[in-house]
Amino acid sequence: MAARRSSRILKPLLYTTGAGLAGGAALYAAIRPRDIPGTEAAAVPPPTYGEGGIFRPPNFPDIKSRDEQIADLKRSAGTVVRKVDKARSGIKSWLGGNSTPPVVQDDAEPYDLLIIGGGATGAGIALDAVTRGLKVALVERDDFSSGTSSKSTKLVHGGVRYLEKAVWNLDYNQYALVVEALRERRFFLDTAPHLSSWLPIMIPIDKWWKVPYFWAGTKAYDFLAGSENIESSYFMTKSKALDAFPMLKKEGIFGALVYYDGAHNDSRMNVSLATTAALYGATVVNHVEVTALEKDASGQLNGARAKNCVDEYNGKKAEEFTIKARGIINATGPFTDSIRKLDDPSVEEIVAPSSGVHVILPGYYSPADMGLIDPSTSDGRVIFFLPWQGNTIAGTTDTPTSITKNPVAGEEEIEWILKEVRRYLKPDINVRRGDVLAAWSGIRPLVRDPKASKTEGLVRNHLVTTSASGLITCSGGKWTTYRQMSEETVDEAIKEFGLKEKPLINAPRVSGTEVEDEAPLDGTCQTHRVRLIGAHGYSKTLFINLIQHYGVETEVAKYLTQAYGDRAWTVVALSSPTEQRFPVRGKRISDLYPFIDGEVRYCVRHEYAQTATDVIARRMRLAFLNAQAALEALPMVIDLMSEELRWSAKRKEREWKDSVAFLGSMGLPKGQLTLTRKEVESGNVGKYTDEEYHLYARHDKPQETLESDSKLTPGKNPMIGDKSQANK
């Protein structure tokens, strides 16, 4: 009787599931995308040998130097910017001994828009506005992506968990957010194929009866993506799941659902947005801080006071100047309220900061091409476990926090992530605190609509508001939808300030060839089609051309093309030959990772890198991948930057102290923060104590093991582990 009842229950379920599978397959056949991101050939073919067998690398257009950009900022207010050559001036008073050279007052050339903030949103707004023919300036107090935009989970995603909330809570806003993000996900992958790629993500399932639920959810995700989908989700049996993700524990797993999302290199994407905007004509300057906002007689904003922070880095008083603009946009993420208070000190704060902590583990903790999501952790939060840049990233948390410049990941949050990771891995895999190569906290700027009642919840998507004096603020949002946020903000600015879009005449040949961009720059928003710097000549096989023409290591060539796209040609050309029996291009700055010396030179000359932290954290990702390796690479990075920027000995000393302090926010133990450059170069990195790692030593270890763990020999570090395995 029990068997008959089971049959009556299971047969309809199986028939329904089978019909759903068949229907889903038919539906997917109809909406299957024509092109899978990353599989197409490069828009521009790689260079070849010319006449006489001479190899000619691509000739890419240059962007303005930082000094030229600052001169443009000053010119907006008619500031004195040009000195007259005394040999040509013919001014007798100067020839008579006047020590002050004569100057010429330029006519004021105000910008249409001044954007404050160089994160994903600010850089995206700058690119959108300048490609609509507007005159644009962007200033950033620190570096592009120095805050939240460099500390994401590295996903380009629609948000499976948002879809679940939309269904169960009948929340249309959540549904709309998913649809928007899935559309933007495809634009993201298409315009920056070198910096982003699709990634299959596994959802482990512990009970058979949960399969239809998760299957329906992932198929709905596919359906909402429509023709912009990446690949179809699918079910994996237990054996297939363990084969794909051998670290998973066998107990408590029935199978898995796999769906597709995107992954990207966030801060390099941010830098690419900023430099692409600069190439199209925007004035884009990092390390310039806005100190005050200026208003006209009617109380409307018309400019800002700013200072050049690089002067302070060089031990000088920072030069201050005025920037004039018809409209000002606040895109400062967690620091949104500080700029709003420059406009109106009495304004109510709208940012509710939340800490999102991530940890980096060695690459052997996850497959190289498969991620994992735990949709229901021990306390109900969602956690990702993903391959990234040869290592494994795990996170994130969601905890209320205060706003600081370089937040530090708390030990309690780090241990919570490790505990959740251990729940899914085999019991014989001992995930130790000492396996954490880096850990950081990003401040998620959740916002509350100032027009809504205080009882309403925080806005999970973005918000564009305008103050009485004309300050437009774009806040909230996430990386995936940065382009849509930018488009809406520029639309609002055009309407608010009466700006006129116009076709972009004499647009630069971003590809370095006569091949034109697909986007018709006719004055309308085209950022869904504007390819970023590096994208035009990129393909998945570009690294082979680098190896053939320059003799680059395979690992290095693959990395360079994925980080710089077709600009990898320039990076390699700036690199030194190695000191080997058979020398190749590119001296590594770390034995563990494929970062090379030519990158430092390229980032200074072509990407506005001004500090060592700009390089090790945002241009390369070494600080995010391995704090200890970044410390060991610092001397070489500082020396290379000193050659490029002509730093004094005092500036080099400051760079060392500032960079080591920053690495403290990346998980470098406190005991290392006082190390001198000489100590690091000699390999004398000191000892580690349990207090420094706090939770590194497991409490179930014998006391003698705890003591031996805290007394490490130079060059051997639990932050790195076995160097031969750390980057596998």
Side-chain angles (χ1 to χ4, degrees):
M1 291 294 291
R4 290 180 182 176
R5 283 196 298 270
S6 298
S7 179
R8 285 198 300 268
I9 295 172
L10 287 175
K11 280 185 178 181
L13 177 61
L14 292 172
Y15 290 150
T16 303
T17 302
L21 285 168
L27 175 63
Y28 184 71
I31 66 172
R32 183 179 176 83
R34 292 186 297 274
D35 300 308
I36 302 299
T39 59
E40 62 275 1
V44 176
T48 58
Y49 288 92
E51 295 182 5
I54 300 175
F55 173 69
R56 294 183 176 85
N59 183 24
F60 299 114
D62 289 327
I63 58 177
K64 286 185 177 182
S65 70
R66 187 172 184 276
D67 287 342
E68 290 173 318
Q69 298 279 46
I70 289 180
D72 287 342
L73 290 177
K74 296 175 181 177
R75 192 174 293 115
S76 70
T79 307
V80 173
V81 294
R82 293 186 288 119
K83 295 181 179 179
V84 177
D85 187 279
K86 69 177 181 179
R88 298 181 181 180
S89 67
I91 301 177
K92 295 181 180 180
S93 63
W94 191 21
L95 294 176
N98 187 347
S99 61
T100 303
V103 295
V104 172
Q105 181 83 17
D106 281 348
D107 293 333
E109 300 175 13
Y111 290 97
D112 291 322
L113 293 174
L114 168 62
I115 302 156
I116 305 173
T121 307
I125 293 170
L127 180 59
D128 190 317
V130 75
T131 52
R132 297 201 211 185
L134 301 179
K135 186 177 181 182
V136 183
L138 178 149
V139 293
E140 160 60 44
R141 178 180 63 179
D142 197 330
D143 184 30
F144 309 120
S145 202
S146 58
T148 303
S149 296
S150 63
K151 298 175 179 178
S152 71
T153 311
K154 322 306 178 192
L155 285 176
V156 188
H157 63 116
V160 169
R161 64 187 186 278
Y162 298 140
L163 179 59
E164 183 180 32
K165 291 178 181 178
V167 172
W168 285 110
N169 299 336
L170 297 178
D171 189 335
Y172 177 78
N173 289 330
Q174 294 279 0
Y175 165 81
L177 178 62
V178 174
V179 173
E180 175 186 271
L182 287 171
R183 181 188 69 247
E184 292 299 317
R185 181 184 69 178
R186 184 61 192 238
F187 295 153
F188 202 117
L189 296 173
D190 286 342
T191 56
H194 55 306
L195 296 170
S196 57
S197 61
W198 51 267
L199 176 71
I201 301 177
M202 177 188 296
I203 307 174
I205 301 174
D206 58 349
K207 304 292 184 182
W208 70 267
W209 51 267
K210 293 183 180 180
V211 173
Y213 174 79
F214 284 104
W215 181 89
T218 56
K219 287 303 174 185
Y221 198 60
D222 293 345
F223 174 74
L224 290 178
S227 61
E228 289 147 357
N229 198 19
I230 300 175
E231 275 282 12
S232 178
S233 57
Y234 59 91
F235 174 75
M236 297 178 75
T237 62
K238 178 178 181 177
S239 60
K240 291 289 185 181
L242 293 175
D243 183 55
F245 214 122
M247 305 83 179
L248 286 178
K249 62 181 179 182
K250 297 180 180 180
E251 298 76 17
I253 181 170
F254 175 80
L257 259 298
V258 177
Y259 71 96
Y260 286 80
D261 256 331
H264 76 130
N265 189 337
D266 51 9
S267 71
R268 283 222 52 82
M269 179 76 180
N270 200 154
V271 171
S272 186
L273 283 167
T275 52
T276 303
L279 190 57
Y280 276 106
T283 302
V284 177
V285 193
N286 57 351
H287 299 285
V288 167
E289 181 179 359
V290 168
T291 57
L293 298 180
E294 296 191 342
K295 299 178 181 180
D296 60 20
S298 64
Q300 293 298 297
L301 291 171
N302 66 355
R305 290 288 294 171
K307 67 177 182 178
N308 184 1
C309 298
V310 173
D311 290 338
E312 294 178 339
Y313 306 159
N314 289 322
K316 304 176 183 178
K317 182 179 179 181
E319 178 188 12
E320 292 199 15
F321 51 89
T322 298
I323 308 168
K324 289 295 183 181
R326 295 180 178 88
I328 299 179
I329 296 176
N330 174 17
T332 52
F335 302 95
T336 291
D337 287 324
S338 63
I339 299 299
R340 293 175 70 238
K341 288 185 177 182
L342 288 180
D343 174 39
D344 178 4
S346 64
V347 72
E348 182 181 352
E349 294 185 355
I350 62 173
V351 174
S354 173
S355 170
V357 170
H358 295 83
V359 302
I360 291 288
L361 298 168
Y364 50 71
Y365 274 113
S366 67
D369 56 358
M370 177 77 76
L372 181 145
I373 178 175
D374 179 358
S376 54
T377 60
S378 57
D379 64 359
R381 289 182 284 186
V382 172
I383 192 170
F384 287 96
F385 194 60
L386 311 166
W388 185 66
Q389 301 285 305
N391 283 353
T392 301
I393 184 171
T396 178
T397 62
D398 189 358
T399 309
T401 188
S402 58
I403 298 175
T404 54
K405 187 176 179 182
N406 290 316
V408 177
E411 284 295 338
E412 183 178 348
E413 294 169 301
I414 293 173
E415 182 56 29
W416 178 82
I417 293 173
L418 296 180
K419 181 184 71 174
E420 295 302 324
V421 168
R422 295 182 190 113
R423 289 178 59 227
Y424 272 95
L425 300 185
K426 291 181 177 179
D428 58 339
I429 298 178
N430 182 19
V431 185
R432 306 166 302 170
R433 174 61 177 85
D435 291 331
V436 176
L437 305 177
W440 70 86
S441 171
I443 299 177
R444 186 181 296 109
L446 302 178
V447 294
R448 189 185 306 277
D449 188 341
K451 297 179 182 179
S453 66
K454 293 184 178 181
T455 58
E456 292 188 22
L458 297 171
V459 177
R460 301 303 296 192
N461 50 10
H462 62 276
L463 189 67
V464 179
T465 58
T466 306
S467 73
S469 61
L471 177 66
I472 293 180
T473 296
C474 181
S475 51
K478 60 180 182 177
W479 246 117
T480 307
T481 56
Y482 86 90
R483 194 211 64 82
Q484 179 66 29
M485 294 164 61
S486 303
E487 180 180 350
E488 292 180 16
T489 305
V490 175
D491 286 344
E492 180 66 21
I494 289 172
K495 181 178 67 174
E496 178 70 24
F497 306 124
L499 305 177
K500 293 185 178 180
E501 304 160 299
K502 53 183 179 290
L504 201 64
I505 302 173
N506 299 323
R509 300 286 185 179
V510 182
S511 68
T513 70
E514 293 303 310
V515 176
E516 295 187 7
D517 206 303
E518 298 174 357
L521 302 178
D522 56 3
T524 62
C525 177
Q526 292 292 323
T527 47
H528 59 293
R529 301 168 69 178
V530 172
R531 290 174 179 255
L532 303 188
I533 283 178
H536 296 79
Y538 172 76
S539 71
K540 288 187 177 295
T541 57
L542 177 61
F543 76 95
I544 298 174
N545 301 102
L546 277 182
I547 295 170
Q548 291 174 333
H549 291 304
Y550 280 121
V552 185
E553 292 179 70
T554 300
E555 182 188 18
V556 171
K558 286 183 175 180
Y559 156 70
L560 290 178
T561 56
Q562 291 168 357
Y564 299 90
D566 57 25
R567 266 49 175 187
W569 291 107
T570 306
V571 175
V572 176
L574 292 172
S575 302
S576 306
T578 59
E579 298 172 358
Q580 300 175 356
R581 182 179 178 186
F582 301 103
V584 295
R585 283 285 190 127
K587 289 183 179 179
R588 295 198 184 208
I589 68 167
S590 170
D591 293 337
L592 298 171
Y593 299 94
F595 308 125
I596 59 174
D597 62 326
E599 290 182 77
V600 182
R601 299 186 182 96
Y602 179 85
C603 294
V604 171
R605 298 182 191 182
H606 303 284
E607 293 186 344
Y608 300 126
Q610 294 295 307
T611 70
T613 302
D614 291 352
V615 171
I616 63 172
R618 270 89 60 175
R619 306 308 187 282
M620 305 173 184
R621 306 313 307 275
L622 186 54
F624 280 78
L625 289 168
N626 192 317
Q628 175 68 28
L631 178 70
E632 295 172 358
L634 260 182
M636 183 175 179
V637 171
I638 290 174
D639 286 346
L640 287 168
M641 294 190 74
S642 180
E643 292 174 10
E644 293 289 322
L645 297 171
R646 299 180 182 179
W647 285 344
S648 65
K650 190 173 182 180
R651 173 67 191 275
K652 291 174 69 174
E653 183 180 350
R654 171 169 180 155
E655 284 297 317
W656 176 264
K657 292 179 179 178
D658 289 351
S659 299
V660 173
F662 171 80
L663 291 176
S665 69
M666 291 286 105
L668 193 68
K670 291 181 180 179
Q672 296 237 315
L673 301 182
T674 57
L675 290 176
T676 66
R677 171 171 172 162
K678 185 176 181 180
E679 288 173 326
V680 172
E681 287 181 311
S682 66
N684 183 21
V685 296
K687 299 178 181 179
Y688 294 86
T689 65
D690 295 338
E691 289 74 21
E692 288 171 329
Y693 276 125
H694 187 64
L695 294 175
Y696 164 61
R698 294 284 301 278
H699 295 299
D700 55 352
K701 284 186 177 183
Q703 184 61 33
E704 60 268 24
T705 306
L706 294 177
E707 293 174 356
S708 65
D709 281 342
S710 66
K711 299 176 182 178
L712 303 175
T713 56
K716 185 177 181 182
N717 190 319
M719 292 284 285
I720 295 179
D722 183 357
K723 288 192 175 186
S724 65
Q725 298 293 324
N727 197 31
K728 290 187 178 180

